[in-house]
Amino acid sequence: MKICQDRVVIISGAGSGLGASHAKAFAAEGACVIVNDINEEAARSVVDDIITAGGQAAVNTANITDYQDSHNPVQQAIDLFGDLHVVVNNAGITRDRMFASMSESEWDQIIAVHLKGHFCISSHAVQYWRQQSKANKEVAARIINTTSGAGLQGSIGQSNYAAAKAGIVALTLNQAAELNRYGVAVNAIAPAARTAMTTAVDTLAAYMAKPQDGSFDYFAPENVSPLVVWLGSRASEKVTGRVFEVAGGKISIADGWRTTAGVDKGERWQPAEITTAMDEIIQKSNPAQKPYGT
């Protein structure tokens, strides 16, 4: 039995890179896949590959930053395949710039595609699952969000992208806490993989290039997809509210912000007293991982 047999999955930004890899991997495990991408030709190519391989898939070109339009893939999944079980929020863009030089447009575009884009399809899907749950129907649904190492520890020249990706982590934690009652598990991945976004940067493109000697392709998008497929399956029902880092053949958990022991005076601090207390607080704490690019 394939791990996602007859599961119905929507994947945003699935016309290339990680999204295309996820779509093909889900289809290979028996899922019916809605391939969402604003580039219809790219989405069609992925769908054609899936169908040629014997799978089931359909093209969707909804704008994930438009709330009304983003209802379309949800309705399409239900109309075409009879249900919806998984939403994989994958679509993304970059508009890299040092913070001092960043424009309002460069900020807004990233927040719209990444953060609002993670809200829109999921919102419509959750409304559908909540209705099912209230009607006493079994719900075994999954939302899989896509964050980044930039969102976990920052990235020089990507304050817009890092802020959006950090927001996605917080969103994941909230969704997991709120939606479990409806049978919805929510997790996020922080993948290290070669995509259109990484190949657009010369230094990254060279670093993440496919090896020519036939050795293990550490940055292949296909290395990430098995975890995503597993998270979308019924096997993952007990796993929610987690952020997984995936790089090459390694899967790990990004262990989030935690409160330290701190220093407790037992009464209000005076500003001048905090200098000494701060030395003790910092000394007792573990330093944060350094931002990318430092």
Side-chain angles (χ1 to χ4, degrees):
M1 184 71 169
K2 295 181 177 180
I3 195 170
C4 283
Q5 189 66 47
D6 300 324
R7 300 277 280 173
V8 181
V9 183
I10 297 169
I11 305 172
S12 68
S16 63
L18 281 166
S21 175
H22 299 342
K24 293 173 183 178
F26 267 110
E29 288 295 336
C32 305
V33 185
I34 299 295
V35 177
N36 166 266
D37 202 287
I38 57 172
N39 185 329
E40 184 173 359
E41 183 178 354
R44 173 60 60 192
S45 178
V46 174
V47 168
D48 288 346
D49 286 347
I50 290 172
I51 292 173
T52 298
Q56 298 185 73
V59 172
N60 181 275
T61 59
N63 177 359
I64 63 164
T65 71
D66 183 290
Y67 188 73
Q68 292 305 121
D69 199 19
S70 65
H71 180 258
N72 291 334
V74 174
Q75 194 61 53
Q76 183 182 8
I78 297 164
D79 291 344
L80 190 59
F81 298 124
D83 209 341
L84 175 63
H85 305 100
V86 183
V87 171
V88 181
N89 290 305
N90 166 79
I93 61 171
T94 53
R95 296 290 185 270
D96 294 352
R97 192 84 62 192
M98 298 298 282
F99 184 81
S101 302
M102 184 169 293
S103 70
E104 181 182 13
S105 174
E106 288 165 338
W107 178 272
D108 287 347
Q109 288 176 59
I110 294 299
I111 297 300
V113 172
H114 289 275
L115 198 50
K116 186 178 180 183
H118 269 60
F119 165 74
C120 289
I121 293 178
S122 296
S123 173
H124 294 296
V126 166
Q127 291 175 39
Y128 170 70
W129 292 326
R130 182 173 61 178
Q131 290 171 359
Q132 286 189 313
S133 177
K134 289 184 174 181
N136 295 318
K137 295 181 180 179
E138 182 191 20
V139 177
R142 309 286 184 265
I143 296 174
I144 303 162
N145 295 326
T146 305
T147 183
S148 165
L152 302 177
Q153 58 215 51
S155 179
I156 300 300
Q158 291 189 309
S159 56
N160 49 2
Y161 181 77
K165 289 301 191 183
I168 288 167
V169 172
L171 174 64
T172 299
L173 301 179
N174 259 64
Q175 288 175 322
E178 294 179 9
L179 302 179
N180 187 58
R181 72 191 74 179
Y182 304 124
V184 184
V186 187
N187 295 284
I189 61 164
R194 190 171 51 250
T195 69
M197 290 190 294
T198 64
T199 54
V201 181
D202 291 343
T203 53
L204 278 178
Y207 175 65
M208 303 176 83
K210 183 176 181 179
Q212 299 302 307
D213 60 1
S215 59
F216 177 53
D217 187 359
Y218 185 89
F219 291 108
E222 291 78 9
N223 298 335
V224 177
S225 299
L227 173 62
V228 177
V229 172
W230 185 85
L231 288 171
S233 74
R234 283 180 170 268
S236 66
E237 64 180 345
K238 294 181 181 179
V239 179
T240 193
R242 297 286 192 166
V243 178
F244 295 95
E245 294 185 87
V246 194
K250 181 181 180 182
I251 300 171
S252 55
I253 290 176
D255 206 1
W257 294 103
R258 295 185 180 276
T259 305
T260 65
V263 176
D264 187 356
K265 181 183 176 183
E267 57 182 309
R268 184 184 303 150
W269 291 91
Q270 295 300 314
E273 297 176 315
I274 292 178
T275 299
T276 301
M278 187 60 65
D279 289 341
E280 183 178 349
I281 293 168
I282 296 295
Q283 188 174 17
K284 288 181 177 179
S285 69
N286 291 321
Q289 290 181 233
K290 291 183 177 180
Y292 289 100
T294 59

